[in-house]
Amino acid sequence: MRYIVSFLFVVFSSFVAAQELPSPPAMSNLSKQRLIDEFIEVSYYKEALNNYAREYLELKMFDYSVDPPKQKLTKEQVQTIIKNFNFDDFKISLYSSFSFISEENLKNLIKLHKNIGGQLSGNNSVLLMTPAIDLNIKNQMDYAIENIK
C-alpha cells in the first residue's frame, strides 16, 4: 500500500510541477536596446514597417470570398490606420524579437545599413522580420480595421 501511495505522490507532484506560468517575453538589456534603436534608425525600420502594414491593409481592402468582391476598406481608411499607428508602442515587440540577436550581429547589421545608405531596396520594402513581429503587426492592423468600422 505504501508503494502505491508513493507512486501516486510522484505522479501527482510531476503534474503540479508541469503547471508553471509561461515565461515573460524576452527583453533586451539597456546596451542592446540602444543598439536596436540605432538599427531601427539607420535601417529606416519605421518606414519599412509602415510600408509592410500598408501593403497588408491593401490586401484586406476587399473581401474576395463573395462574388462580386466586396470593399471592406477605402484608401482613406487605410491612410488613417497607418497615420494612427503608434510605432513607439510597437517597439516593445521589436525589443523582444531582436533581443535574440547578439550584440556583435546587431553592430554588423548597423554597419551594413550605414554602408548601403540605410535602405535595402529603393522603396524600403525589405525589412528584418520575425514571426512574432509579423503576427503583432497583423494583429494590430486587424484590430484597427475592426475599430474603424
Side-chain angles (χ1 to χ4, degrees), residues 126-141:
V126 178
L127 70 153
L128 184 62
M129 181 74 71
T130 66
I133 294 170
D134 184 49
L135 179 65
N136 288 341
I137 190 70
K138 287 178 178 176
N139 282 343
Q140 280 198 8
M141 294 301 108

Side-chain angles (χ1 to χ4, degrees), residues 1-148:
M1 176 77 170
R2 192 169 29 160
Y3 294 115
I4 294 174
V5 171
S6 298
F7 176 73
L8 291 175
F9 176 75
V10 170
V11 169
F12 286 122
S13 63
S14 67
F15 287 137
V16 171
Q19 300 299 318
E20 295 179 17
L21 294 174
S23 60
M27 286 305 290
S28 53
N29 59 32
L30 194 57
S31 64
K32 263 194 176 177
Q33 282 186 5
R34 279 192 234 115
L35 287 173
I36 292 168
D37 285 335
E38 186 178 357
F39 169 72
I40 289 169
E41 183 180 327
V42 299
S43 67
Y44 300 99
Y45 201 90
K46 180 178 179 179
E47 179 186 339
L49 193 65
N50 280 338
N51 289 340
Y52 182 81
R54 183 177 294 107
E55 289 176 16
Y56 177 75
L57 289 171
E58 287 173 358
L59 290 173
K60 294 285 214 164
M61 282 179 67
F62 291 92
D63 180 7
Y64 294 103
S65 65
V66 294
D67 191 31
K70 178 183 171 188
Q71 185 171 11
K72 295 184 344 184
L73 293 171
T74 64
K75 288 197 179 272
E76 293 78 24
Q77 289 173 321
V78 169
Q79 291 302 327
T80 301
I81 291 171
I82 295 298
K83 182 180 159 193
N84 293 332
F85 173 63
N86 190 339
F87 183 78
D88 291 330
D89 288 345
F90 194 78
K91 273 188 179 180
I92 295 168
S93 178
L94 298 178
Y95 290 146
S96 178
S97 293
F98 293 161
S99 69
F100 296 107
I101 301 173
S102 70
E103 287 189 26
E104 186 63 31
N105 286 342
L106 281 169
K107 289 176 184 176
N108 288 334
L109 283 169
I110 292 166
K111 187 176 174 181
L112 167 75
H113 280 277
K114 284 182 176 179
N115 287 338
I116 62 172
Q119 296 179 335
L120 291 174
S121 63
N123 60 355
N124 208 10
S125 61
V126 178
L127 70 153
L128 184 62
M129 181 74 71
T130 66
I133 294 170
D134 184 49
L135 179 65
N136 288 341
I137 190 70
K138 287 178 178 176
N139 282 343
Q140 280 198 8
M141 294 301 108
D142 289 341
Y143 181 74
I145 290 169
E146 292 300 318
N147 286 332
I148 206 159

